[in-house]
Amino acid sequence: MNLDFSQITPYIPFMLEGIWVTLKFVAVALIVGFILGTLLALCKISNIKPLNWFAIAYTSIFRGTPLILQLMTFYFAIPQLTGYDISPFLSAVLAFGLNSAAYISEIIRAGIQAVDKGQTEAAMALGVPYRQMMKDIILPQALKNILPSLMNEVITLTKESALVSTISVLDLMRRAQVVGADIYRNFEPLLFVGLIYWIMVFGLSTIGKVLERRLKVSDQS
Amino acid sequence: MIKVDNLTKKFGNNEVLRNISTEIAQGEVVSIIGPSGSGKSTFLRCMNMLETPTSGKIVFDQQDLTDSKTPVNKMRQRIGMVFQHFHLFPHLTVLENLTYAPLKAKGVNKQVAQEKARELLKRVGLSEKEAAYPNSLSGGQKQRVAIARALAMEPELMLFDEPTSALDPEMVKEVLDVMKDLAKSGMTMVVVTHEMGFAREVADRILFLDHGVLLEEGNPVEFFSQPKTARAKDFLDKIL
């Protein structure tokens, strides 16, 4: 075994900065994905046919092609087609946000449809308008049911975010590669950021569990 | 108050209701009875447009609910409904269940809504449960909360869809008592029920449905002692 962690010591602050880049990117992509995913889910359960078709086609395209291809497309095709020089960060957020919207929309659709139909009827019978009903009655209950699947999506997104290193965003993964190239040793920096990814995912699952417990308050009998 | 004119409802090719016409006057308590699958619940659900009639009219306060120009949500605010399985909002407390629709659909201010809600909880005997969540209540308590929730909108008409069918036998009475009380206060009520005792004692009129047809209507004394149709007689023989 030829391991020497002392060599990466000077690079540790440089690599740690990647946490912030990764987290920022995951957070923005997640917000985009969640908002868009909710809208798509509402389109999917809507009675208006064109909205259904749009949402179904959208999901089909984003789930049916590789994420790395979508990422490259945004990064390389947008400048070519529009002349706009898109930044790596923006194209990464777009690709990941739009991609996870497709997955999240499926999770939310299933969550909404799992809420007892009686809830909708009770709200309708009280004369509650559709938007209010969705916002206050149906979505909160759906969200509680789908929290575990949603947390899974967050974890997947966090790990998959390493793909953005391919378009030179200086995230955790990219930084490990930079350090590796610098000191001609790859294993140590890779192991180091691997540990950081694991800690981040562990933290996320813990937050998920706490949230789940909190949302169970109304189940107490 | 509400007039049903030639109501027909089909699910696909299955005709669930056939040319039903009747009128319910203000303050009247009407019980709809009949064998299961006779279309009682569907009939009731057409009255507030939870089911869209295939043809015919539902006229409430001179407005045809089946007309696409009628603001159905606004009209539903004036028609309360109580379901067999309660359908309370499980993520809201009892008090919030009562104030939600007045606040969000009717725009009543919070203090007024809460005052009204507490008064109603007192009326159904559940004042001490205002901070509880529905899942911690018994079936009878849930149904009383559901009745109070409907009343919180100050409806002019109350629809009950088998309100005691999902309850344990010992809880039926507490719910029926609330309903009797409500009938006494002059509320217009339409009640789909299997509680013949309630129908006989409280209703002003019985509608007997079979296979989607309104076979017989009349006052309870007459209906229960001398039903006019053989089908009604047969039904009563089986259950009484």
Side-chain angles (χ1 to χ4, degrees):
Chain A
M1 283 271 266
N2 170 26
L3 278 180
D4 184 3
F5 282 96
S6 64
Q7 292 218 34
I8 65 165
T9 320
Y11 295 96
I12 284 178
F14 170 74
M15 285 192 284
L16 287 180
E17 265 173 61
I19 297 179
W20 172 235
V21 177
T22 292
L23 279 182
K24 193 167 75 175
F25 156 72
V26 169
V28 179
L30 206 67
I31 292 168
V32 172
F34 187 74
I35 294 173
L36 208 61
T38 310
L39 292 176
L40 282 168
L42 292 174
C43 289
K44 282 177 187 170
I45 60 165
S46 155
N47 289 327
I48 305 163
K49 287 276 168 240
L51 290 180
N52 292 166
W53 296 330
F54 168 75
I56 290 167
Y58 179 101
T59 307
S60 172
I61 291 167
F62 278 91
R63 282 208 304 195
T65 55
L67 177 53
I68 192 159
L69 179 132
Q70 293 162 20
L71 183 65
M72 297 280 170
T73 308
F74 278 108
Y75 187 53
F76 294 118
I78 287 178
Q80 185 190 334
L81 293 177
T82 67
Y84 173 67
D85 188 16
I86 192 167
S87 74
F89 184 80
L90 184 59
S91 31
V93 162
L94 272 177
F96 276 78
L98 296 184
N99 181 274
S100 73
Y103 287 90
I104 290 177
S105 73
E106 275 301 288
I107 297 175
I108 293 180
R109 180 194 57 77
I112 290 175
Q113 285 173 340
V115 174
D116 180 11
K117 205 164 158 275
Q119 293 291 307
T120 313
E121 291 188 347
M124 277 164 66
L126 285 163
V128 178
Y130 183 82
R131 273 180 62 134
Q132 293 276 358
M133 169 181 88
M134 272 296 162
K135 182 168 80 67
D136 301 328
I137 305 294
I138 307 301
L139 283 177
Q141 292 184 59
L143 231 45
K144 191 164 98 177
N145 296 337
I146 62 176
L147 200 71
S149 334
L150 221 48
M151 218 50 216
N152 246 340
E153 178 61 23
V154 176
I155 287 169
T156 307
L157 191 68
T158 308
K159 289 184 301 178
E160 295 283 289
S161 74
L163 276 183
V164 298
S165 60
T166 57
I167 56 166
S168 73
V169 173
L170 269 177
D171 73 326
L172 269 173
M173 182 69 197
R174 179 81 191 143
R175 281 167 199 255
Q177 291 169 336
V178 169
V179 174
D182 229 26
I183 60 175
Y184 301 108
R185 307 179 75 90
N186 279 302
F187 190 57
E188 291 89 343
L190 285 175
L191 203 66
F192 182 73
V193 298
L195 183 70
I196 295 177
Y197 275 115
W198 180 79
I199 292 173
M200 289 191 333
V201 169
F202 185 79
L204 283 171
S205 1
T206 311
I207 293 171
K209 276 182 198 141
V210 172
L211 270 177
E212 236 175 283
R213 217 174 304 138
R214 282 223 180 145
L215 283 174
K216 285 234 167 82
V217 174
S218 62
D219 288 343
Q220 284 167 3
S221 35
Chain B
M1 165 133 279
I2 191 161
K3 195 175 156 199
V4 178
D5 189 18
N6 254 315
L7 171 66
T8 294
K9 172 72 183 174
K10 289 182 193 166
F11 290 113
N13 282 327
N14 186 15
E15 205 168 40
V16 189
L17 297 173
R18 274 179 244 183
N19 295 319
I20 294 188
S21 297
T22 191
E23 193 171 351
I24 290 153
Q26 179 150 15
E28 202 178 11
V29 176
V30 174
S31 267
I32 305 175
I33 63 177
S36 32
S38 59
K40 307 180 296 279
S41 286
T42 308
F43 177 36
L44 191 77
R45 290 159 58 83
C46 281
M47 289 194 200
N48 67 349
M49 296 294 285
L50 280 186
E51 302 289 353
T52 312
T54 308
S55 67
K57 281 183 190 164
I58 308 280
V59 182
F60 176 72
D61 189 21
Q62 275 132 49
Q63 290 200 67
D64 182 5
L65 298 185
T66 59
D67 186 341
S68 59
K69 277 174 243 135
T70 306
V72 173
N73 266 331
K74 280 266 171 284
M75 302 306 274
R76 283 183 181 140
Q77 293 175 12
R78 300 165 58 188
I79 306 175
M81 183 156 194
V82 174
F83 299 86
Q84 180 178 1
H85 296 286
F86 333 123
H87 301 326
L88 294 174
F89 305 131
H91 60 304
L92 304 180
T93 65
V94 166
L95 191 72
E96 287 164 350
N97 262 280
L98 265 67
T99 55
Y100 175 71
L103 287 175
K104 296 296 170 78
K106 224 173 162 191
V108 175
N109 88 48
K110 195 169 175 183
Q111 209 186 339
V112 174
Q114 288 190 342
E115 236 166 68
K116 173 89 192 158
R118 292 205 168 96
E119 185 190 305
L120 284 165
L121 283 177
K122 198 171 157 198
R123 187 163 160 196
V124 299
L126 289 169
S127 290
E128 78 283 10
K129 293 287 185 191
E130 69 166 65
Y133 283 96
N135 285 341
S136 68
L137 305 179
S138 72
Q141 291 172 330
K142 281 183 193 168
Q143 197 59 299
R144 284 187 280 154
V145 172
I147 293 172
R149 175 177 69 177
L151 291 176
M153 290 297 279
E154 303 183 308
E156 294 148 57
L157 167 70
M158 283 284 282
L159 309 175
F160 293 83
D161 189 3
E162 301 197 23
T164 57
S165 298
L167 299 178
D168 290 338
E170 74 264 33
M171 290 170 181
V172 170
K173 187 174 177 295
E174 62 187 64
V175 172
L176 290 182
D177 283 347
V178 168
M179 289 169 62
K180 281 178 196 167
D181 196 49
L182 194 60
K184 239 180 266 166
S185 76
M187 176 64 77
T188 312
M189 293 161 68
V190 183
V191 187
V192 171
T193 187
H194 292 298
E195 293 293 329
M196 294 305 141
F198 176 85
R200 188 174 357 207
E201 195 185 328
V202 183
D204 302 309
R205 184 155 51 112
I206 306 284
L207 304 186
F208 178 73
L209 254 69
D210 187 45
H211 288 103
V213 179
L214 179 53
L215 270 190
E216 205 171 322
E217 68 182 304
N219 78 55
V221 180
E222 254 171 52
F223 177 80
F224 284 105
S225 55
Q226 15 189 244
K228 282 174 263 179
T229 57
R231 186 70 192 88
K233 190 170 184 309
D234 185 44
F235 173 75
L236 289 173
D237 282 344
K238 275 182 192 147
I239 55 161
L240 289 179

